Amino acid sequence: MEQPLLGSETPDYETFPERPDQQQEQNYIRTLKNKRLFLATFAAVLGNFSFGYALVYTSPVIPALERSPNPALQMNKTESSWFGSVFTLGAAAGGLSAMVLNDLLGRKLSIMFSAVPSVIGYALMAGAQGLWMLLLGRILTGFAGGLTAACIPVYVSEISHPGVRGALGATPQIMAVFGSLLLYALGLKMPWRWLAVAGEVPVFIMMVLLCFMPNSPRFLLSQGKEEEALKALAWLRGNDTDFQREFQQIQNSVQKQSSRLSWTELRDPFIYKPIAIAVLMRFLQQLTGVTPILVYLQSIFHSTAVLLPPEEDAAIVGAMRLVSVLIAAVTMDRAGRKILLFVSASVMFVANLALGLYIHLSPPRPAPNTTMDLTNAALEGSGSGSYLMLVPLFATMLFIMGYAMGWGPITWLLMSEILPLKARGVASGLCVLVSWLTAFMLTKSFLLVEGRRKENMEAGQPTTSLERIKRLKTPSCSSNFTQIPQV
């Protein structure tokens, strides 16, 4: 993963090649005015904000719909699993569409186009009168999210200059986390229909702001629109700066850009090895289970004996995720990628192991309006029992922290570091397809497995080792009554 791909001197791996005069480059960067660049970046990454909001929309909504008094909207576990998972199918379609729309419409228009399915999807969910409207709304918002997740990083990278490209490159993920946190926070107070209405606000703001933003100068040059590209770069950098020099560099880069990948070139180890690594990394990223955890966060806390209300737990985890992403953005370049991946995987393993053991060994969460077992009541009343009931919250926070410090951002970063330019289109499509199909399989099966466990619990069958041990040690009621002497 480090040699020879990252150390290769061939221009096929250089998106923005090093300049020979570093001092002159630094002097040029100091003269630039970044206000308009920051505004254009903010307008674009509002799409990532909407994506993060839509991804976790089901977290507070599924528990509400499972208790809905309306028979047309009330969901069982199978319907809930579809509601939570079809978003990933839409995201897969949106990501694949971005491969065509990026070059057909351009980066900016592709981002603006994503607002159409997003607005329609939120409107369907806000006014849903049946399950099909909810599912269609999730598919459309997923399509919009997949499209923006693929287009926005390209747009931000192409309008940025080397002085701020690294910092601005982290904004899409940070804004997606901000969107998820806002959803968790609004879920504490707002009903599920108004959550869908609130989701349309950042989409409308994004549309309005992008109407006044320029397209990517690199894309305009690839379309032969040199004069328009020069005006766009002047708007982004400032008319009184030496942007002509940067414009010439971008123009030379576009002219030297590698041709499209051919089938025969796939046999080259310098082509198929980085593609295989990138696809495998995205597959393993989803295999960590991060998407089901984010999508069903409140449902997970509902099914465990956790001390705080599930809505508050979800908001705390969302805040922890934001802090972790901000820390990772600062420390990522100071540590090796490989070390961070190992540390991240180890932290997630410990967190999942702790949460799994807690759910497997602890008594099941009592159903509402039922008599609690005396042993469980005594346990909850004690101080040690209260502390143990924080295990699900701390384990989930630890998992999110581990994911954010390694497997979350690095898998995206490696795509730009190890893939040759001519292979990035094909590799991006494969990565999107593998990633979201894996997420679909996990999110679809999660609630079904959890529902089967709950059915066994309601049927009186032991679902944990602790229950099996209790049943072996505790004599039956009938045998106790037979031992009472008759008076």
Side-chain angles (χ1 to χ4, degrees):
M1 293 175 64
E2 295 179 359
Q3 296 292 340
L5 300 176
L6 295 183
S8 175
E9 297 180 358
T10 171
D12 286 342
Y13 289 89
E14 298 178 348
T15 307
F16 301 96
E18 293 293 329
R19 283 82 176 180
D21 191 352
Q22 295 293 335
Q23 185 62 41
Q24 186 178 1
E25 182 72 25
Q26 292 297 325
N27 293 335
Y28 167 68
I29 291 175
R30 293 190 188 100
T31 63
L32 297 178
K33 299 177 180 178
N34 295 323
K35 290 183 179 180
R36 290 179 176 177
L37 173 60
F38 292 161
L39 179 61
T41 301
F42 174 75
V45 297
L46 281 175
N48 291 103
F49 183 92
S50 180
F51 169 70
Y53 187 96
L55 175 65
V56 300
Y57 174 75
T58 53
S59 177
V61 174
I62 285 180
L65 291 179
E66 288 179 344
R67 302 188 302 267
S68 175
N70 187 350
L73 295 174
Q74 194 174 47
M75 291 184 179
N76 54 36
K77 288 298 180 182
T78 302
E79 293 166 341
S80 297
S81 67
W82 278 111
F83 185 53
S85 61
V86 292
F87 180 92
T88 58
L89 293 180
L96 293 176
S97 301
M99 297 173 59
V100 178
L101 295 177
N102 253 337
D103 295 328
L104 184 65
L105 301 178
R107 288 61 160 136
K108 188 187 86 167
L109 290 181
S110 296
I111 299 170
M112 295 178 70
F113 174 77
S114 69
V116 177
S118 183
V119 169
I120 297 175
Y122 280 125
L124 284 171
M125 291 188 291
Q129 300 300 319
L131 180 61
W132 71 270
M133 297 179 70
L134 292 170
L135 295 179
L136 182 58
R138 285 288 286 170
I139 292 175
L140 290 174
T141 52
F143 180 88
L147 183 59
T148 55
C151 296
I152 292 175
V154 178
Y155 178 75
V156 172
S157 176
E158 290 184 352
I159 66 174
S160 304
H161 58 79
V164 295
R165 186 172 293 124
L168 295 184
T171 55
Q173 185 183 10
I174 293 174
M175 288 297 287
V177 176
F178 260 117
S180 299
L181 177 59
L182 179 65
L183 186 281
Y184 292 139
L186 293 180
L188 293 171
K189 300 294 182 182
M190 296 179 66
W192 64 271
R193 291 187 186 273
W194 283 103
L195 288 176
V197 175
E200 298 194 0
V201 175
V203 179
F204 281 118
I205 298 175
M206 179 192 72
M207 279 287 294
V208 173
L209 290 179
L210 283 177
C211 289
F212 303 96
M213 300 299 115
N215 214 324
S216 159
R218 186 181 183 89
F219 167 75
L220 294 173
L221 283 173
S222 67
Q223 302 297 308
K225 303 177 181 179
E226 294 188 9
E227 184 176 352
E228 191 176 345
L230 188 62
K231 291 181 180 179
L233 189 63
W235 189 90
L236 290 167
R237 304 292 184 260
N239 291 317
D240 55 346
T241 61
D242 186 20
F243 61 88
Q244 292 280 357
R245 180 172 172 270
E246 182 183 358
F247 179 78
Q248 187 63 43
Q249 292 172 347
I250 299 174
Q251 196 172 33
N252 294 337
S253 176
V254 171
Q255 291 173 354
K256 295 177 182 179
Q257 188 170 353
S258 303
S259 59
R260 292 188 177 182
L261 184 68
S262 62
W263 286 105
T264 55
E265 290 177 306
L266 286 174
R267 300 176 183 176
D268 186 353
F270 282 90
I271 299 295
Y272 73 76
K273 282 186 177 180
I275 292 178
I277 291 173
V279 172
L280 179 62
M281 293 292 288
R282 293 299 299 275
F283 171 74
L284 293 176
Q285 179 196 46
Q286 289 295 338
L287 211 60
T288 62
V290 63
T291 302
I293 288 178
L294 294 176
V295 170
Y296 301 126
L297 195 53
Q298 284 197 26
S299 299
I300 292 173
F301 288 131
H302 269 292
S303 62
T304 58
V306 66
L307 186 62
L308 300 176
E311 297 82 3
E312 297 180 9
D313 291 324
I316 294 173
V317 171
M320 183 64 187
R321 184 185 173 202
L322 176 61
V323 172
S324 302
V325 168
L326 293 174
I327 294 175
V330 175
T331 61
M332 188 183 302
D333 289 333
R334 300 181 182 179
R337 310 280 193 259
K338 196 172 182 180
I339 295 176
L340 282 177
L341 288 175
F342 277 120
V343 174
S344 173
S346 301
V347 172
M348 288 190 292
F349 171 77
V350 172
N352 278 341
L353 181 64
L355 182 59
L357 289 176
Y358 177 85
I359 294 175
H360 186 67
L361 297 177
S362 65
R365 185 183 180 93
N369 301 324
T370 58
T371 305
M372 184 183 297
D373 185 81
L374 293 177
T375 306
N376 297 344
L379 180 63
E380 292 186 2
S382 63
S384 60
S386 299
Y387 291 132
L388 284 176
M389 293 172 70
L390 291 173
V391 169
L393 175 61
F394 286 126
T396 307
M397 292 171 61
L398 183 64
F399 174 87
I400 293 298
M401 182 182 68
Y403 177 81
M405 64 189 293
W407 280 90
I410 290 179
T411 49
W412 290 92
L413 186 61
L414 279 179
M415 290 180 62
S416 62
E417 290 185 339
I418 69 176
L419 291 174
L421 284 176
K422 63 172 65 177
R424 286 184 187 173
V426 175
S428 298
L430 286 174
C431 287
V432 166
L433 189 62
V434 170
S435 176
W436 288 116
L437 288 181
T438 306
F440 169 75
M441 290 186 291
L442 293 174
T443 51
K444 182 68 178 71
S445 59
F446 179 86
L447 284 185
L448 298 179
V449 174
E450 195 272 337
R452 185 172 299 176
R453 176 180 178 272
K454 187 176 180 181
E455 289 176 0
N456 292 338
M457 184 176 63
E458 292 176 350
Q461 300 178 7
T463 57
T464 66
S465 299
L466 184 61
E467 288 178 314
R468 296 187 184 98
I469 294 173
K470 282 184 177 181
R471 292 203 173 191
L472 289 174
K473 290 184 177 181
T474 305
S476 62
C477 294
S478 58
S479 61
N480 287 342
F481 280 118
T482 55
Q483 295 174 5
I484 298 176
Q486 298 293 329
V487 178

